[in-house]
Amino acid sequence: EPKITVLRETMGVMQHHDAITGTEKQHVANDYARLLNEAIEECKEASCSILSGLATGIETTGCKTCHLLNISQCEVSEHSEQFVLTLYNPLSRPVTEFVRLPIAAETAYTVVDPSGQSLTVQFVPLPNAVLRIPGRKSSATAELVFQAKDLPPLGYKSYLITKQSSSYDIKSLPRAKRSAESET
Amino acid sequence: GGPVDVGDRRLGITIDESDPKRFVLYVDNEEIPLIQEFLYYKSMVGDNSVDYKRASGAYIFRPDGEPLPLCDNQIKPRRVSGPVVQEIHRECNEWVSQVIRKYNGDDNIEFEWLVGPIPNDDKIGKEVISRFRIPFYKNNQTFYTDSNGREMLKRILNYRPSFSLKENVENVSGNYYPITSRISLTDQQTRFSILNDRSQGGSSLQDGEIELMVHRRIFYDDAFGVNEALNETAFGVGLVARGSHYLTLGSVDKQFVVERLLSQRKLIQPQYFFAEKQSVVSYEELK
């Protein structure tokens, strides 16, 4: 509870119209960013320990988040041989999410969903303008894209994502094995 | 018939190579001309001593003249196509670019914009908008904006429901409204909407037109108390902003559902949790 309340209180502060529109003084804007970042980190610990009790493959210690996906940067997806991505759906109805994960180009990955199906994936080059974003520290020049279907309401699904050996390269990879339903 | 760059003839879009702000939208096999472009308003400069000398700033949007086009279109658009998503990568100039994409099976076209660092060498404030236009679309100077993601409020150009508006000297900002998640036009048969992923200022200043302000960099304070120009920087240069607009267009009866479900999906997105595996395991072992 105390780990979640920090974010509740911070969101209380963020109701101010300046926080929403960014029209406050610069040092106040920086402080809002600091408050939010610390509160989200606290909340993440709570989420991870709850999820690790529920989902396969999520150890509390190894549980990470990528807050810089908005500038196509993510330590885990760029450097791991294999990782589990768990998506938690906060809505009260099933939702389909198109996942985009930054990866080092010329690397192929496979994605397996909870039923063991290998999903159709696509590798999309990042626009040059994204590579030029000041402050972006990332080796990724492409994104791994796949469709996460029917995330359960107020629930989660985990996907096993594995880098293919270096002998593969994206071009030679056969059109990813299509999961049964996508053929139908 | 004929190739569609992104999507298909049920819902898709093709860019005009010769004039990259022009597109053809395909909706239920109909072809609809669309213009999407980035422009910027120059910020009014003033000493705020009297009203007509007020500067544009954090609490005021006060453009100085008509919006100016931003794209020099030196770089040709690049197309990306595959089994999950099709994209058009478009570079407008050094600091404005965009990806137009449609995911297979999705009911909207995403315009992911990337703006900044806005240059400051000429010390002229720039307030950047993304403007969509469907020529010959008749919406009678009427548009709808959401109120905090809930009901849609009716807006009429240069009109106020509670008092008669004298000639609107600020005829641009006087028609700007807070767009928290959606702005819509309708010609009674179809509904044309742009959904945004964060609150922005926006309006419809001509029939068939929707504009949303995506980024601002201003060099003068507007004397409304913050006592600082709206000039955010990061890593020593102007802030870079990245976000998405989602275009939906279709018959009036169908579109409310499309928009409502899409805005929920985009404003309350799934949370991502990663767990690295120290050694590569098979699916069976993990299961």
Side-chain angles (χ1 to χ4, degrees), chain A residues 26-58:
Chain A
Q26 189 58 49
H27 69 81
V28 177
N30 297 340
D31 191 50
Y32 283 158
R34 177 187 64 81
L35 285 172
L36 264 178
N37 191 51
E38 285 170 3
I40 290 172
E41 273 310 304
E42 290 276 302
C43 214
K44 181 199 94 174
E45 276 177 46
S47 315
C48 285
S49 55
I50 294 166
L51 262 180
S52 64
L54 294 171
T56 311
I58 296 271

Side-chain angles (χ1 to χ4, degrees), chain A residues 51 86-90 151 154-157, chain B residues 269-273:
Chain A
L51 262 180
T86 298
L87 297 171
Y88 173 75
N89 168 18
L151 299 178
L154 297 173
Y156 63 87
K157 267 188 178 178
Chain B
Q269 299 201 17
Q271 265 192 302
Y272 284 45
F273 295 95

Side-chain angles (χ1 to χ4, degrees), chain B residues 103-122:
Chain B
Y103 291 102
N104 275 1
D106 231 356
D107 50 16
N108 64 85
I109 295 177
E110 180 179 353
F111 288 74
E112 183 192 79
W113 46 268
L114 177 65
V115 177
I118 297 178
N120 62 349
D121 37 5
D122 57 7

